[in-house]
Amino acid sequence: MLTRSNSSEAAQNQQGWRKEAAAPSLPEVHRSMKIPAKGSWIRKFLAFAGPGYLVAVGYMDPGNWATDIAGGSLFGYSLLSVILLSNLMAILLQALAGKLGIVTGRDLAQACRDHYSKPVAMGLWVLCELAIAACDLAEVIGAAIALNLLFGIPLVYGVLITALDVMIVLFLQNKGFRYIESLVIALIVTIGACFAFEMIWSQPDIAGIFGGFIPTAEIVKNPEMLYIAIGILGATVMPHNLYLHSSIVQTRQYEQTTLGKKEAIKYATLDSTIALVFAMAINAAILILSSATFHKAGMTDVADIADAYHLLAPLLGTTLGSILFGVALLAAGMNSTLTGTLAGQIVMEGFLNLRITPWLRRLITRLIAIVPAVIVTALYGESGATDLLILSQVILSLQLSFAVVPLVQFTSDKAKMGEFANAGWLKWLAWIVATVIMGLNLYLLFQTFSG
């Protein structure tokens, strides 16, 4: 039974919205994890920690590998500044996504469905599904390439094996959402450990790394460099992650009061920031490895993940270099398919208010990615799959504005967010980020159609 205080909070949540909130986001795990009422801040932080790592998975998926390897082999350490800038944008946008979910009790898809007209909402849903399909293609193909490199499994069969993630998510979610988070964190640690060894063996140029984090005008002037840079942006700031984050922060049973929400926002933001810094380190490590091995050896055309796998062993002087690269790729692909499945469910339910059996909706989500991946790998093999990886990241970047603009708009609206609306400086910073993203995407379109 609601107290008077909670009743007023619930009423405030409905201000600025056309309709009352429908069924909660991810209803099977909504508010399923308790937060200790008392104890140290570390204990509370650990209770909130987890969603940020599910979000961080999207920032180190196989699509990142293709763009980072291409960028490192072509331009050395120069594009590290793009990774840094993209990650700073991601930290800001993910913090806003978490705040939207905590304050309003709606995920971004539900908020779009309520705010916009039906045709606009349906258009946003279609664009988001295309982005998820592009992202899933990268994840599925990346995992399939890893299985092929490590165990010799044909790409088409590897793609089909990735469909098993539907059963893994169902099994773990029935056990509790913390099990999914634990598996994801374990796989992230595996990726990090693999690249720690790769960094030791590759002996990168430390001065070159620090110099690479300083932006240069050449990134904008060189069309080929700009294409890879925008691909990195699309691979880093993932549109479906904004929908995912706004939903999974609601798995915590925080107090539905002003103080409770402030505390939840503080810990959720800290969680996602730490996780994304870790993701940036892994992203940068992929580009640094490519630069320290391929670019240094004069191999400036290495953009194929399989080529990178085979070339690492002789360049690093140990077969373990290739093996750990493959293991990390497999872990990244497995992780990304898990979170991609959840994001697909959130988007479909949020935009369409469609409630179907969990296993069926997840199967539909996976088929959207698996069917095109099977066709591409069957027709074009490894080379076509790698080209599709890089292209998928550019598609993600082009769709990003359609998720970022609504997010900034909603979180800056006092009618919708009340006292939690973005402060003036934060509102301007968020709109600057949105404008930069839109400007880069328009420039990419101009360059693409002008040849």
Side-chain angles (χ1 to χ4, degrees):
M1 188 172 181
L2 288 175
T3 64
R4 180 176 295 181
S5 173
N6 284 345
S7 296
S8 63
E9 292 285 345
Q12 186 179 2
N13 280 351
Q14 302 309 323
Q15 293 180 6
W17 301 100
R18 295 190 300 175
K19 300 176 183 177
E20 289 189 9
S25 188
L26 290 180
E28 55 267 36
V29 292
H30 182 74
R31 295 181 60 77
S32 61
M33 300 179 64
K34 293 183 178 180
I35 302 297
K38 298 180 180 180
S40 66
W41 72 269
I42 295 179
R43 188 182 173 201
K44 285 200 171 186
F45 168 70
L46 290 176
F48 277 100
Y53 293 90
L54 268 69
V55 169
V57 163
Y59 296 84
M60 58 182 87
D61 76 340
N64 295 60
W65 292 53
T67 51
D68 289 340
I69 290 171
S73 67
L74 269 172
F75 307 111
Y77 303 108
S78 300
L79 292 179
L80 283 173
S81 59
V82 177
I83 291 177
L84 175 61
L85 178 63
S86 299
N87 198 260
L88 292 175
M89 290 181 178
I91 288 172
L92 171 64
L93 295 175
Q94 294 298 164
L96 295 183
K99 182 167 74 169
L100 176 70
I102 289 168
V103 173
T104 68
R106 304 166 190 259
D107 60 50
L108 182 56
Q110 292 171 330
C112 288
R113 183 173 179 269
D114 179 276
H115 180 81
Y116 297 112
S117 64
K118 189 172 182 179
V120 172
M122 290 301 292
L124 289 173
W125 171 66
V126 171
L127 287 170
C128 192
E129 289 290 0
L130 288 174
I132 290 176
C135 185
D136 280 355
L137 275 173
E139 295 158 357
V140 166
I141 290 174
I145 290 174
L147 289 171
N148 174 258
L149 295 174
L150 290 171
F151 308 110
I153 298 174
L155 283 177
V156 173
Y157 296 135
V159 167
L160 294 175
I161 288 173
T162 62
L164 294 176
D165 80 291
V166 176
M167 305 306 297
I168 295 173
V169 171
L170 278 174
F171 175 76
L172 292 177
Q173 198 153 300
N174 288 334
K175 294 286 185 181
F177 199 72
R178 183 59 96 180
Y179 283 90
I180 293 179
E181 293 175 348
S182 299
L183 175 60
V184 165
I185 291 172
L187 290 172
I188 289 175
V189 170
T190 300
I191 298 169
C194 289
F195 276 106
F197 285 107
E198 301 277 14
M199 289 298 97
I200 294 171
W201 291 325
S202 64
Q203 297 181 340
D205 177 12
I206 303 300
I209 292 173
F210 281 107
F213 281 109
I214 301 173
T216 63
E218 186 187 1
I219 296 173
V220 178
K221 293 179 180 178
N222 185 332
E224 189 175 11
M225 186 179 283
L226 182 64
Y227 180 83
I228 298 293
I230 294 179
I232 290 174
L233 174 66
T236 304
V237 186
M238 308 289 278
H240 75 276
N241 266 349
L242 302 177
Y243 294 94
L244 175 68
H245 199 192
S246 62
S247 172
I248 58 178
V249 290
Q250 298 179 54
T251 57
R252 269 51 182 180
Q253 213 175 92
Y254 51 85
E255 290 291 330
Q256 296 296 299
T257 62
T258 298
L259 288 177
K261 290 177 181 178
K262 283 183 178 178
E263 182 180 67
I265 291 170
K266 178 179 72 174
Y267 287 122
T269 301
L270 182 60
D271 171 48
S272 62
T273 300
I274 293 172
L276 288 175
V277 168
F278 192 80
M280 182 186 72
I282 291 178
N283 242 353
I286 299 171
L287 189 143
I288 291 169
L289 178 65
S290 178
S291 177
T293 52
F294 309 134
H295 186 78
K296 184 178 179 181
M299 302 176 180
T300 58
D301 59 347
V302 179
D304 189 301
I305 290 177
D307 286 346
Y309 173 87
H310 292 300
L311 290 170
L312 274 176
L315 289 174
L316 294 177
T318 174
T319 56
L320 274 177
S322 291
I323 293 173
L324 290 180
F325 181 85
V327 169
L329 177 62
L330 181 59
M334 289 172 60
N335 242 352
S336 301
T337 54
L338 289 173
T339 56
T341 300
L342 283 174
Q345 174 186 344
I346 291 162
V347 165
M348 182 179 290
E349 290 183 348
F351 276 110
L352 304 183
N353 198 25
L354 181 64
R355 306 286 161 177
I356 56 178
T357 308
W359 70 266
L360 181 58
R361 66 173 168 251
R362 291 198 178 96
L363 183 60
I364 293 171
T365 300
R366 300 317 296 147
L367 287 175
I368 292 174
I370 288 172
V371 171
V374 168
I375 294 172
V376 169
T377 52
L379 292 177
Y380 302 105
E382 287 184 11
S383 61
T386 301
D387 289 341
L388 193 61
L389 277 177
I390 296 178
L391 179 61
S392 70
Q393 303 312 299
V394 177
I395 293 173
L396 283 171
S397 184
L398 293 174
Q399 200 278 332
L400 187 55
S401 301
F402 297 100
V404 170
V405 170
L407 175 65
V408 177
Q409 180 183 0
F410 297 154
T411 54
S412 300
D413 189 340
K414 285 189 176 180
K416 287 179 166 58
M417 300 290 289
E419 65 182 281
F420 294 97
N422 297 335
W425 67 270
L426 182 57
K427 183 190 299 186
W428 282 107
L429 182 60
W431 279 118
I432 288 171
V433 168
T435 303
V436 168
I437 289 171
M438 288 187 286
L440 288 173
N441 291 339
L442 288 173
Y443 189 78
L444 175 65
L445 283 174
F446 173 77
Q447 289 291 334
T448 301
F449 288 109
S450 66

